[in-house]
C-alpha cells in the first residue's frame, strides 16, 4: 500500500500560484510531512517540512489539515525555473522498526511562459 | 561546505564487472543514505547508516550489492557482478537529525550504465 499519492503531473503558467496535494491516509501519529524538489540530473532538494496546520518559508507554504491525511504544497507565483518534480514524503517502517524516508513517484510540474 | 560529494559522476561498464560508487557526506552528519533512481521504480532507498552502522538494508536488491561505511566521512556502494538491470542513478544523501525530521542533503548522483 503506497504511503503517499500525488498527481503524476501538473501544468501551470508563470506568475500563477501552484498547489500540489498529497494524500497520506495511513500517516502515523509521529510522522512529519516533508516535500522535496528535484531538477533533472540533480539530487532532490528539501523544500519544507511540517507536522500540522501551516508552515511557511521563503520558498513555499505547506498546509496540513487537522486529520493530517493530506497536505498541500503551495508555490506562490511560479517561474520557469520551478519546473521540476516535487515529492511528498512521510516515513515508512523498515525491518527492525527503523524509520525510513520513503519517496513516492512525485508530481512533475511544468511551468509554461 | 562542499555538500555531499559522490564519485564517479558517470560510469559505463560491462556486465559482470565490479562497480564501486563512493560518497563523502557533509561533515557532522551522522546519517548516510544510498538511494537508487530509475524511471520504472522511482527513488528507492537501498540502505542507510547511523554513526557508521547499517540500520536498514532491506532495500538492497540482492547479494550482489554491498555497502560499507568505514568512517564518518566515507561510504561505498559496491555491485559485483554488475548486470544491465542495475543501470540507474545512485544517490547518496546525509542528514544530521533523525530520519523522521531530518532534512536529507543529496549529492549529484552517480549515473551507472551497465552494457
Amino acid at each position: 500500500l503506497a504511503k503517499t499519492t500525488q498527481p503524476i503531473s501538473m501544468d501551470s503558467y508563470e506568475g500563477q500560484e501552484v498547489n500540489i496535494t498529497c494524500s497520506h491516509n495511513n500517516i502515523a501519529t509521529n510522522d512529519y510531512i516533508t516535500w522535496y524538489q528535484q531538477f533533472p540530473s540533480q539530487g532532490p532538494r528539501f523544500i519544507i517540512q511540517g507536522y500540522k496546520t501551516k508552515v511557511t518559508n521563503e520558498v513555499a507554504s505547506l498546509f496540513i489539515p487537522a486529520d493530517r491525511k493530506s497536505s498541500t504544497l503551495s508555490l506562490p507565483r511560479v517561474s520557469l525555473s520551478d519546473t521540476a518534480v516535487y515529492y511528498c514524503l512521510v516515513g515508512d517502517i523498515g525491518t527492525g522498526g527503523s524509520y525510513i524516508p520513503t519517496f513516492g513517484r512525485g508530481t512533475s510540474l511544468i511551468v509554461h511562459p | 561546505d562542499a555538500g555531499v560529494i559522490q564519485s564517479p559522476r558517470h560510469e559505463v561498464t560491462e556486465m559482470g564487472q565490479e562497480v564501486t560508487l563512493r560518497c563523502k557526506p557533509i561533515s557532522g552528519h551522522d546519517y548516510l543514505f544510498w538511494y537508487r533512481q530509475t524511471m520504472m521504480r522511482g527513488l528507492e532507498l537501498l540502505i542507510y547508516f547511523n554513526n557508521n552502522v547499517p540500520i536498514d538494508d532491506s532495500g538492497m536488491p540482492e547479494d550482489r550489492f554491498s555497502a560499507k561505511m568505514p568512517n564518518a566521512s566515507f561510504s561505498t556502494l559496491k555491485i559485483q557482478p554488475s548486470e544491465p538491470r542495475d543501470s540507474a542513478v545512485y544517490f547518496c544523501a546525509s542528514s544530521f537529525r533523525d530520519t523522521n525530521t531530518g532534512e536529507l542533503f543529496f549529492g549529484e548522483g552517480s549515473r551507472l550504465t551497465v552494457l
Side-chain angles (χ1 to χ4, degrees):
Chain A
L1 183 65
K3 292 284 289 188
T4 60
T5 304
Q6 303 174 234
I8 294 174
S9 63
M10 294 182 68
D11 288 87
S12 184
Y13 292 89
E14 284 190 291
Q16 289 190 334
E17 178 183 79
V18 171
N19 295 309
I20 306 174
T21 296
C22 177
S23 297
H24 28 79
N25 291 316
N26 298 320
I27 189 169
T29 302
N30 59 347
D31 277 350
Y32 279 71
I33 301 156
T34 312
W35 285 79
Y36 286 81
Q37 174 191 56
Q38 185 178 26
F39 297 114
S41 302
Q42 294 185 24
R45 184 180 69 170
F46 174 92
I47 301 176
I48 197 166
Q49 183 182 74
Y51 183 79
K52 61 181 179 180
T53 62
K54 177 184 174 182
V55 180
T56 298
N57 62 21
E58 65 278 6
V59 176
S61 294
L62 179 59
F63 299 91
I64 305 169
D67 66 5
R68 301 193 341 112
K69 293 184 183 299
S70 67
S71 59
T72 299
L73 175 72
S74 180
L75 304 173
R77 297 182 299 280
V78 295
S79 64
L80 297 177
S81 62
D82 293 315
T83 294
V85 178
Y86 293 82
Y87 296 93
C88 161
L89 269 74
V90 297
D92 202 353
I93 302 300
T95 58
S98 62
Y99 190 96
I100 299 174
T102 303
F103 286 78
R105 299 312 301 264
T107 298
S108 177
L109 171 66
I110 299 177
V111 180
H112 302 276
Chain B
D1 199 317
V4 175
I5 300 173
Q6 293 186 245
S7 65
R9 291 295 312 279
H10 301 275
E11 174 94 4
V12 180
T13 190
E14 293 188 346
M15 182 174 63
Q17 296 298 306
E18 178 180 292
V19 174
T20 299
L21 307 178
R22 298 171 177 80
C23 175
K24 177 179 167 56
I26 294 173
S27 177
H29 285 193
D30 51 11
Y31 288 88
L32 184 139
F33 306 80
W34 282 101
Y35 283 87
R36 177 174 67 176
Q37 186 170 37
T38 61
M39 287 294 293
M40 290 293 293
R41 301 176 66 88
L43 265 166
E44 305 172 277
L45 178 65
L46 301 178
I47 186 171
Y48 82 89
F49 296 83
N50 179 216
N51 291 321
N52 314 337
V53 176
I55 302 302
D56 194 305
D57 64 355
S58 58
M60 295 286 265
E62 48 198 271
D63 292 345
R64 298 185 297 106
F65 285 69
S66 63
K68 295 182 179 180
M69 192 164 186
N71 57 62
S73 59
F74 184 66
S75 177
T76 59
L77 178 68
K78 185 174 294 186
I79 309 172
Q80 168 63 20
S82 58
E83 297 181 3
R85 59 190 168 129
D86 301 330
S87 297
V89 181
Y90 291 81
F91 287 103
C92 176
S94 68
S95 174
F96 65 90
R97 290 208 303 265
D98 65 85
T99 51
N100 186 9
T101 59
E103 173 184 346
L104 301 177
F105 293 80
F106 282 81
E108 295 189 335
S110 294
R111 180 176 295 275
L112 173 65
T113 302
V114 183
L115 303 174

